[in-house]
Amino acid sequence: MLERRLIEVDGVVQGVGFRPYVHRLAAARGLRGFVRNEPAGVLIDIEGDSARVSDFCQSLPAGLPPLASIATLRIRQADPRDYRGFEIATSGLRDALQPPASIPSDAATCDACLAELFDPRNRRYRHPFITCTECGPRLTIVQAAPYDRERTTMAQFPLCAACRREYADPVDRRFHAEAIACPDCGPELIAYTSAGTPAGSRDAALTSALAALRAGGIVAIKALGGYHLACDASAASAVRRLRARKRREAKPFAVMVADLESAARLGVRSKPAQEALESRARPIVLVPRRAGAMIADTIAPGQDTVGVMLPATPLHHLLLTGFGGPLVMTSGNRSDEPVVIDDDAARGSLSGIADLFLTHDRAIATRCDDSVVRVVDGAPRLVRRARGFAPQGVALPVRASQPVLAAGGHLKNTACIASGTQAFLSPHVGDLDTLESRTAWRDAVDKLGQISGVTPSLVAHDLHPEYASTLLAERLCEERGIERRVAVQHHHAHIAAVVAEHQAVGPVIGVAFDGTGIGSDGAIWGGEFLVADGARFKRHGHLAYVSLPGGDAAARKPWRAAAAYANAAGLSALNVPGEVDPREAAVVSQLMKQNATSPPTSSAGRLFDAVASLLGICHTSRYEGDAAMRLEAAADPRVDHGYDVALRANGPWTADVSDIIRGVVRDRQRGRGVAEIAGAFHLTLAALIVSGCDRIREETSLTTVALGGGVFVNALLLSLAESRLSARGFRVLVPRLVPCNDGGLSLGQAYVGICALEEGLCA
Ligand code: ZN
Ligand code: ZN
Ligand code: FE
């Protein structure tokens, strides 16, 4: 009996070899009809013998290509049409009312392509743009959805006859692979010097780049989502030169190595770290650095970890294999600016940094930095979410009745669009201090709109009126005539992000340990015990307020935090480290006496700063999180005692941080070691988190705890807090897919925005 069915599939089904897979499945069963990309996913129109059609439907989800995943599958009966054969049809027209399609993220070169890359008999031998249905660029070349070659930056490279044959052949592994090319028809590698002099094309360009690297030079390399800056990681002088030219004093550089064996020599030992390193996303993985690793000390000064990654593109494979040792591979930008994607901009802004440019003529459509992962207790956790992950949707526990755009925070910014039950986060945009980065934010938001095909009807942003992201959100609303906005408290958003990621239902206890965020009372929050429930939250407790002389200006000056916390604890007068300008010290001392320009803060980040300075580990931070990371690196994890901290009831109860400060200073005076005190400090915070949660459980009988905020990048604290809470019978939710730091804020804001719509809070 003849039967016809229409099958609508959504999930990650575009640009991942899904249509070729469907074609093979249909052909094997002698079925007719077509498959085509739709704005919302893929439509299959299938017709034939009814038993075979049923078999087709059952087999469909079973043997998916590795990058594909199905979120929903809807099947309808239809009247037979008497199709002739089965074909891959051109994409349907987009319909703005449809929910968005998932654009796939970029995937590392697969084993089959890698084998061809180094096979002299293959026609793509050493072709730096080799790719197939299972690997290669995706988001970074996509200009608009649905994902088809004509809407990517590969459109300008018409396929040659040989490539077209592969593209059209259902049994070829490049059947309908949108990004394929070969030496005859694809993009071409070129090199030129910082003065603009040509330095070879194709393999000769690679040879020039390798020669420059061997000579200790700095090479700007056009990678997937932006330029990289590379130099010999074992040459201290090259690394020093890169730091000086990039004006990046101490922030760690990532290192790229050819393979797992080389990664092991740097310190990648654990199975989970190896798996993260080899995953298709190919992120930078932060690992404990092995003593004697053959890389310059200046790569991550003062840190006990190093960021390692494996090659993600054929070009990087060729470079690493040719070079034979580890290479520094860092974002191609000047400090604090977004990574450069445009060739002219690269020539402009990187010519003072790079000696040589290794580039090509395929444009980068979407800026996408390298992602960063840290493995904690065997589980990979994202610290920076970009290449390889964006724009994969995060499934939400609620359905957005209307699309919501979230602007993110001021630092480590990402933006997010939620539509239906999916949230799409932009790749990491970074800090919004410069005009360039604010333009990058706007690009990222426009891109989210293009690839999702939806227009937001509500914009969620941080409560802080002066965050660049808040101002940008306001301007966007004016320009686009979006009338509804919702301001979301920073730490509520941190917790909401964890709730959304874990699809938690109902109210949860939220512990947000963070640097800085404005609170509902105007104070600087950051050590918060909340109960979060949809669009609402209640602050049950927090770290006791301490007046911070200079407020935010003190964020990168741990010695100021130390002075303020010691003062609040009733300890002796200002203890100014030698490196501090006496005039600045005098100003701070004056501010403290008068209690002027000293907003109260409950920030856990500032408490870390204070302790780091009191222990002599760090008085002035060279980048955000510097002091806290060095305090973590210094801590002895075997310490089994901490300091007692009193919880005082007073509206929201407060945890008396002066108890901690007095304990640290007392131990220091008794001559206890820095490692022991740092260890005791971590243990104290973990115990404090547990007692705070115990108290809220008594008050509310809630048993689920969400941990969020940038302080939880700290693996030791996270591990201690998680294990102790679990041991006390709490269900603990910890961010994994989305960073716990401000990179995850936009997801939380979007979630709160959706709930606000749901609860009728924004008319
Ligand atoms: Zn491949
Ligand atoms: Zn070709
Ligand atoms: Fe934050």
Side-chain angles (χ1 to χ4, degrees), residues 608-745:
F608 266 88
D609 285 353
V611 172
S613 176
L614 289 172
L615 292 181
I617 291 170
C618 176
H619 301 301
T620 308
S621 286
R622 301 160 300 176
Y623 50 91
E624 213 226 347
D626 185 17
M629 279 156 76
R630 285 201 268 170
L631 185 57
E632 180 188 359
D636 181 347
R638 294 162 306 182
V639 173
D640 60 0
H641 57 272
Y643 309 105
D644 291 328
V645 183
L647 298 187
R648 301 183 201 287
N650 169 33
W653 44 260
T654 58
D656 193 349
V657 291
S658 292
D659 290 338
I660 303 176
I661 298 296
R662 279 189 292 265
V664 166
V665 170
R666 187 186 342 107
D667 276 358
R668 192 90 178 104
Q669 283 162 351
R670 281 186 193 150
R672 292 226 162 107
V674 165
E676 183 187 343
I677 302 173
F681 170 69
H682 280 79
L683 203 62
T684 303
L685 289 191
L688 171 59
I689 288 168
V690 173
S691 50
C693 291
D694 272 342
R695 183 138 173 178
I696 300 179
R697 178 161 61 181
E698 281 159 27
E699 291 160 2
T700 63
S701 18
L702 294 173
T703 54
T704 300
V705 177
L707 302 177
V711 166
F712 288 111
V713 170
N714 185 314
L716 177 57
L717 179 64
L718 179 62
S719 172
L720 286 170
E722 195 181 4
S723 59
R724 290 177 168 235
L725 284 167
S726 300
R728 297 278 298 170
F730 287 100
R731 177 181 170 227
V732 190
L733 309 179
V734 172
R736 276 180 78 162
L737 304 174
V738 168
C740 64
N741 58 40
D742 286 7
L745 272 185

Side-chain angles (χ1 to χ4, degrees), residues 284-310:
I284 295 168
V285 182
L286 298 174
V287 295
R289 181 179 165 173
R290 201 185 125 191
M294 289 298 287
I295 49 171
D297 286 333
T298 45
I299 283 182
Q303 302 292 340
D304 61 350
T305 58
V306 60
V308 181
M309 70 175 142
L310 294 179

